Amino acid sequence: MFSIGPLGFAAPWILLGLIILPLLWLLLRAVPPAPIRRRFPGVALLLGLTDSDSQSARTPWWLLLLRLLAIAGVIIGFAGPVLNPQTEQSGDGPLLVLVDGTWADARDWQRRIDRLDVLLAEASLAGRPVALVSLTDLPAEGPVFQAADAIATRLPALKPAPFAPDGEALATFADTLTGDFDSLWMSDGLARDSRADLLAALETHGTVSVFESPRTITTLRPARFEDGDVVLRGARVPATTAAEAMILAIGPDPSGVERQLASLPITWEAGEAEATASLALPPELRNRVTRFEIAGVQSAGAVTLTDDALRRREVALIAGGGDREGLELLSPLYYLNQALVPTADLIDGTLADVLLANPDVIVLADVAVLTAPEQDAMLAWLDKGGLLLRFAGPRLAGSDIGRAEEDPLLPVRLRSGGRSIGGAMSWGEPKALAPFADTSPFFGLAIPDDVTVTAQVMAQPDPTLSDRVIASLSDGTPLVTRKDVGAGQIVLFHVTANAEWSSLPLSGLFVQMLERMAVSTRPAQADSAELTGTTWMPEDVLDGFGVILPADTLPGVAGERLATGLPAADMPPGLYAGDKRRIAVNVMRDETELAAMRWPARITVEGLAVTAQTLLKGWVLGVALCLLVVDILASLLLSGRLTGARAQAAAIICAAMLFMPHTGQAQEADDTFAVASLTEVVLAHVITGDAQVDDIAAAGLYGLSQTLYRRTSIEPAMPIGVNIETDELAFFPILYWPITANQPLPSADAYAKLNRYLRTGGMILFDTRDADLTGFGSGSPEGQRLQAIARLLDIPPLEPIPQDHVLTRTFYLLQEFPGRYTGREVWVEAAPPDAEQVEGMPFRDLNDGVTPVVIGGNDWAAAWAMDRNGNRLVPVGRGMAGERQREIALRFGVNLIMHVLTGNYKSDQVHVPALLDRLGQ
């Protein structure tokens, strides 16, 4: 194809016809020939007469120009002009298409899919077999070449992974390549060590072309807590011009609904690849943040999850007796303060006061006796997951608690007195610590040689003592003991919190032990020794677009693997939970290097831009035809033939044709609506005229569609609002109809359309949204309006959903159907009177039809409602109970859609005994 700038020509040789235009100009100027002028006196007799048929002496120049333009248009039109012609890839052999398929691709993933679609279309026209390989999901058997059309059907299922390709796997993949083929590499633009070897391997089989986006890759490194602020670092590549972005802090609000809690801008100067921003948040708000993300960037690299490394624990410190003025180093709380101030929020006050603040940890340093109300309050706090950390001392050693029987606030029974150098139960010299057992939370910590113990409180021998000891001295006596109480635990250090009984508080081991007990904030990077031998279960994981997904079906991850912190297919980025601790694995780490890929000069690198190719042949020929029509009219005008009765009649006819109604456009709009509704499953809601109700209905069906997409094989398109007066209803399997008090009644034609819809298998979900105010059939305005609307509808007899109705088990097993509200009966088509329960089956033999109507008032759309960012729009209930109610509402929606699309197929199980009897089994 010959091109001139953005304009190409399919048959450029026809353009040679433009050469004759100057000749045509001269020819048209010479025809007709100019008259010869002769003086003839007799012409005076003709003066005053009018000639009805006149002719110009010469063709006017503007008419000549018009004709030449028309002829030029015809020539250019037949030359096949094309605007923005696509450059076709050369070659005729097999084609290997490689896609990095990483989180860095996610920011412009659709552009990549569009570019791949164009490449596959060109390969299909050329008859080239194609193999499509994602480097983050390599085929075990190597690339398989197929027809390009078959490969194109896989594009919608292609998604970016939230991790980078594995270098060893790429090397193995390169060894599987055989034969000659060309390669097209869809790169994410980031430099990796594994690229060079793979590129060299590909070049041995044929030419390699690279497609790469010039857009900036923006990422977010893990959040850190420094000097009282949350510090966030953003990285980008390439770092050319100045840029600014907004970082959002996301987490649950007090009612448990996830939303934006705070935001802060981050700015990169020109040439800077890294930028830092600090955010000051109150401890309660900071502890609720679950992730930070860059607004408007859909990529797992722009999201950083938070874990215990960011969540500063609230620790209450309480010491027995009063402070001794002037002896600060002997204070039971001095070393605890020094160890915890950098990593925890400390709370001072009486025990009653700090319990009201609900801290994460309460430290009792040599506190022996608690009152009965204080003990009851402490036990209630422990049941909810609190950590009680106790230290021994003279008061605890001299008291009688935990002697005859185990005290509820001590992990073990204690002996009277204590043990010290020179005491009744003494040893000759200070004792060192024994190595920590592999079952201890302190396992893997190095014990300094200078840490010794000179005194301790002794534990009474007990059958459960060995299970509760988590640290001991070299002679086997307990140093630290622990027991669980409800969801919390009690830990006792059998030495003081100061240096009176041991040198432990003077060492770094003391701080590490507090970290292991989750008294203070965890270090950012998990210690491999600490994680050895443990298994961590994923709670939530990120996909390539940075969307949080549930991890219910994923297996656990070994602690040694988690310590590497490198996300991969076996450990996607997400939040991993262990024993009383959670660790976040993020795409970007502090040490992750971000650099742009520099391809060798011999490699052709193209962008992702796919400009729509527009064929101009029809337009150009149409313009040429219009010019010829104008030429005809101009010629008639010059010859005086556009006047008179015939000319006036022709003008009237032309004007009438111009103002005739254009039914084609309306038909085209109807066809577009039909195609959009039929090509995919579409959930629809009835437009009520109330903007707020209609918006919630649309958002509710969008949220339900997203749930169906994630949990089932149904992939709904965007919901559509329908006007029951003008739109065709047969395209939609279900209509959600929220009832408003002032909603107009349908017309007779609309009722006929609705009844036809109900009789041909459609379902309408009527929702009066008033379950918080009234019961079914009572006199609420919405209920009265529903009765008026339903009066002319062909609705069968109804009954509350029975326990054995198929809606209770089409996908989930349900016995309640809440929405934003709960407790309201839901009505469906009544079962046939002769429906009987088959022997040995838990439900009746019902018909195979779908109930045409479901009626309730639980405001389901509000419970389902979600915006495009995945945020829930309407609160449901309070706290976790409300979220559980929302989950049941979503499950009801899934059951409802599955029931509409599959009928009562779950009821077919009642026919199993008859089928087995027929088969002679």
Side-chain angles (χ1 to χ4, degrees):
M1 180 177 288
F2 174 74
S3 297
I4 303 175
L7 190 63
F9 295 92
W13 57 271
I14 297 181
L15 296 177
L16 296 175
L18 297 176
I19 299 175
I20 67 173
L21 291 182
L23 299 177
L24 288 177
W25 173 273
L26 297 176
L27 180 61
L28 293 175
R29 287 287 294 174
V31 178
I36 300 175
R37 296 180 178 272
R38 294 286 187 268
R39 293 182 178 274
F40 181 59
V43 174
L45 300 175
L46 304 177
L47 295 177
L49 299 178
T50 302
D51 188 359
S52 59
D53 187 9
S54 60
Q55 185 175 357
S56 300
R58 286 184 179 273
T59 304
W61 68 267
W62 55 267
L63 187 57
L64 285 176
L65 180 61
L66 189 66
R67 292 172 178 173
L68 291 179
L69 289 177
I71 297 173
V74 172
I75 295 173
I76 295 174
F78 282 108
V82 179
L83 182 63
N84 299 318
Q86 297 298 323
T87 303
E88 297 183 0
Q89 297 294 321
S90 60
D92 55 2
L95 182 65
L96 174 62
V97 179
L98 299 176
V99 181
D100 277 348
T102 70
W103 55 268
D105 288 333
R107 71 196 190 282
D108 46 20
W109 185 252
Q110 190 55 50
R111 296 179 62 205
R112 297 175 184 275
I113 295 298
D114 294 341
R115 194 70 180 90
L116 286 174
D117 196 33
V118 172
L119 293 174
L120 293 177
E122 294 175 357
S124 178
L125 292 176
R128 305 182 68 180
V130 179
L132 177 62
V133 174
S134 174
L135 298 186
T136 53
D137 187 16
L138 295 171
E141 69 282 0
V144 178
F145 290 91
Q146 299 175 290
D149 294 340
I151 296 295
T153 61
R154 294 169 46 193
L155 291 184
L158 194 64
K159 301 296 181 185
F163 47 82
D166 180 67
E168 295 182 0
L170 290 180
T172 303
F173 169 75
D175 294 337
T176 65
L177 301 176
T178 58
D180 294 331
F181 54 83
D182 295 333
S183 300
L184 299 180
W185 194 337
M186 194 72 66
S187 168
D188 62 9
L190 295 181
R192 298 187 185 90
D193 295 336
S194 58
R195 287 196 188 275
D197 294 339
L198 181 58
L199 178 60
L202 293 175
E203 288 185 299
T204 61
H205 298 276
T207 61
V208 179
S209 299
V210 174
F211 294 87
E212 193 172 270
S213 173
R215 295 178 59 185
T216 300
I217 301 174
T218 308
T219 64
L220 203 58
R221 299 191 187 275
R224 295 288 177 264
F225 190 84
E226 299 176 3
D227 301 327
D229 293 337
V230 177
V231 178
L232 294 156
R233 289 193 300 146
R236 62 171 183 158
V237 62
T240 52
T241 60
E244 182 174 336
M246 186 65 66
I247 300 177
L248 308 180
I250 309 297
D253 61 13
S255 62
V257 178
E258 188 177 74
R259 63 179 67 252
Q260 177 183 326
L261 302 178
S263 63
L264 75 157
I266 184 171
T267 303
W268 289 270
E269 300 296 335
E272 287 185 352
E274 299 272 346
T276 302
S278 298
L279 178 64
L281 292 174
E284 294 183 0
L285 188 61
R286 183 182 65 243
N287 290 343
R288 289 208 303 268
V289 175
T290 58
R291 71 182 185 275
F292 293 93
E293 61 184 39
I294 299 178
V297 180
Q298 293 185 340
S299 170
V303 178
T304 178
L305 302 174
T306 64
D307 55 13
D308 293 344
L310 180 66
R311 186 178 182 272
R312 283 171 62 91
R313 315 263 292 177
E314 293 183 346
V315 181
L317 301 179
I318 300 175
D323 295 334
R324 288 178 285 181
E325 185 177 357
L327 298 176
E328 184 178 14
L329 292 178
L330 298 179
S331 169
L333 302 181
Y334 174 78
Y335 295 101
L336 286 170
N337 271 288
Q338 296 299 312
L340 297 177
V341 161
T343 57
D345 296 320
L346 303 184
I347 300 175
D348 295 323
T350 64
L351 183 58
D353 293 337
V354 299
L355 283 172
L356 293 176
N358 192 30
D360 299 295
V361 183
I362 295 179
V363 179
L364 299 182
D366 196 18
V367 176
V369 181
L370 298 180
T371 64
E374 290 175 335
Q375 181 171 298
D376 293 340
M378 182 73 77
L379 290 173
W381 172 77
L382 285 167
D383 285 337
K384 298 177 181 178
L387 170 61
L388 175 60
L389 181 63
R390 303 194 67 168
F391 286 87
R395 292 177 181 79
L396 185 62
S399 67
D400 294 330
I401 64 170
R403 301 300 192 265
E405 59 183 12
E406 183 177 317
D407 187 271
L409 295 180
L410 285 175
V412 294
R413 290 193 302 133
L414 302 178
R415 292 185 181 183
S416 300
R419 182 183 185 192
S420 62
I421 296 178
M425 293 183 294
S426 64
W427 54 73
E429 59 184 10
K431 295 296 182 182
L433 275 64
F436 300 116
D438 56 3
T439 57
S440 170
F442 310 132
F443 177 71
L445 295 181
I447 301 176
D449 296 335
D450 57 350
V451 174
T452 59
V453 176
T454 58
Q456 68 178 139
V457 292
M458 298 291 293
Q460 288 277 14
D462 188 272
T464 62
L465 179 61
S466 60
D467 295 332
R468 297 182 180 182
V469 175
I470 57 177
S472 59
L473 299 180
S474 57
D475 62 355
T477 56
L479 176 65
V480 185
T481 53
R482 177 180 65 179
K483 77 171 181 180
D484 294 330
V485 178
Q489 59 180 326
I490 301 173
V491 178
L492 173 63
F493 277 72
H494 290 242
V495 295
T496 57
N498 57 19
E500 289 188 37
W501 287 14
S502 73
S503 60
L504 178 62
L506 302 176
S507 68
L509 177 63
F510 185 63
V511 177
Q512 293 175 326
M513 293 176 75
L514 292 178
E515 291 175 352
R516 290 288 183 92
M517 293 305 302
V519 176
S520 61
T521 300
R522 298 282 187 174
Q525 186 65 35
D527 189 343
S528 58
E530 175 189 357
L531 301 182
T532 301
T534 61
T535 301
W536 298 74
M537 298 304 298
E539 290 186 347
D540 298 304
V541 294
L542 290 175
D543 67 4
F545 296 104
V547 177
I548 293 182
L549 303 176
D552 303 337
T553 60
L554 297 181
V557 175
E560 296 86 347
R561 175 69 179 88
L562 186 65
T564 64
L566 292 174
D570 63 332
M571 189 181 70
L575 202 58
Y576 293 81
D579 184 18
K580 302 184 184 300
R581 179 179 179 183
R582 297 190 304 172
I583 294 179
V585 175
N586 288 301
V587 170
M588 291 292 295
R589 301 186 298 165
D590 290 331
E591 61 271 21
T592 302
E593 295 184 3
L594 204 64
M597 179 61 189
R598 297 184 180 275
W599 296 94
R602 65 182 183 276
I603 301 299
T604 301
V605 180
E606 300 182 24
L608 300 180
V610 179
T611 306
Q613 179 174 282
T614 305
L615 301 179
L616 300 180
K617 180 177 182 179
W619 290 96
V620 174
L621 291 178
V623 171
L625 180 61
C626 291
L627 293 177
L628 291 176
V629 172
V630 173
D631 174 68
I632 294 172
L633 295 177
S635 299
L636 293 175
L637 179 64
L638 292 176
S639 63
R641 296 178 181 177
L642 284 184
T643 59
R646 288 180 297 176
Q648 294 176 359
I652 293 174
I653 293 174
C654 292
M657 294 177 63
L658 289 174
F659 289 100
M660 286 180 63
H662 297 277
T663 58
Q665 294 181 358
Q667 181 65 38
E668 183 179 354
D670 293 342
D671 292 344
T672 302
F673 180 82
V675 170
S677 305
L678 289 174
T679 53
E680 297 180 274
V681 175
V682 180
L683 308 184
H685 66 93
V686 174
I687 298 175
T688 65
D690 187 317
Q692 183 176 2
V693 173
D694 293 339
D695 289 345
I696 290 295
L701 294 184
Y702 174 77
L704 180 57
S705 298
Q706 294 300 306
T707 302
L708 289 167
Y709 179 81
R710 295 189 181 110
R711 304 184 186 184
T712 72
S713 60
I714 304 173
E715 298 182 0
M718 289 296 293
I720 294 179
V722 297
N723 186 329
I724 59 176
E725 300 289 344
T726 59
D727 293 334
E728 178 57 54
L729 307 180
F731 303 140
F732 309 102
I734 184 172
L735 292 179
Y736 174 75
W737 192 334
I739 303 299
T740 59
N742 56 356
Q743 189 171 341
L745 294 178
S747 65
D749 292 340
Y751 269 119
K753 188 187 303 181
L754 288 168
N755 286 326
R756 183 170 60 253
Y757 174 75
L758 293 174
R759 296 189 192 107
T760 54
M763 174 191 284
I764 300 178
L765 173 60
F766 291 101
D767 190 353
T768 56
R769 305 173 298 108
D770 58 356
D772 59 328
L773 303 175
T774 180
F776 180 75
S778 59
S780 70
E782 291 80 6
Q784 294 175 357
R785 177 53 59 174
L786 174 59
Q787 293 175 4
I789 291 174
R791 189 170 293 117
L792 297 180
L793 290 177
D794 187 10
I795 296 178
L798 304 177
E799 67 176 353
I801 294 183
Q803 292 185 353
D804 62 347
H805 195 276
V806 71
L807 269 177
T808 63
R809 60 184 184 277
T810 50
F811 197 84
Y812 292 103
L813 296 178
L814 300 176
Q815 287 301 324
E816 56 181 2
F817 314 97
R820 185 182 184 187
Y821 312 118
T822 187
R824 174 81 172 267
E825 288 183 337
V826 179
W827 293 70
V828 296
E829 180 181 6
D834 56 349
E836 298 179 355
Q837 183 169 338
V838 178
E839 182 179 357
M841 291 295 172
F843 37 79
R844 291 172 292 172
D845 185 5
L846 301 176
N847 63 331
D848 284 338
V850 175
T851 175
V853 294
V854 176
I855 300 177
N858 291 336
D859 199 0
W860 289 288
W864 302 334
M866 173 192 292
D867 64 15
R868 296 301 185 269
N869 296 322
N871 300 316
R872 297 294 177 184
L873 299 181
V874 180
V876 175
R878 299 182 64 85
M880 295 306 297
E883 288 307 299
R884 177 62 180 171
Q885 180 177 328
R886 188 194 302 277
E887 172 62 23
I888 299 300
L890 288 169
R891 293 185 179 186
F892 168 66
V894 172
N895 276 20
L896 192 67
I897 302 304
M898 294 296 287
H899 176 50
V900 171
L901 297 180
T902 63
N904 285 357
Y905 80 103
K906 283 293 181 80
S907 292
D908 292 343
Q909 299 174 54
V910 301
H911 304 300
V912 170
L915 292 174
L916 294 178
D917 183 62
R918 286 284 189 89
L919 294 172
Q921 300 180 10

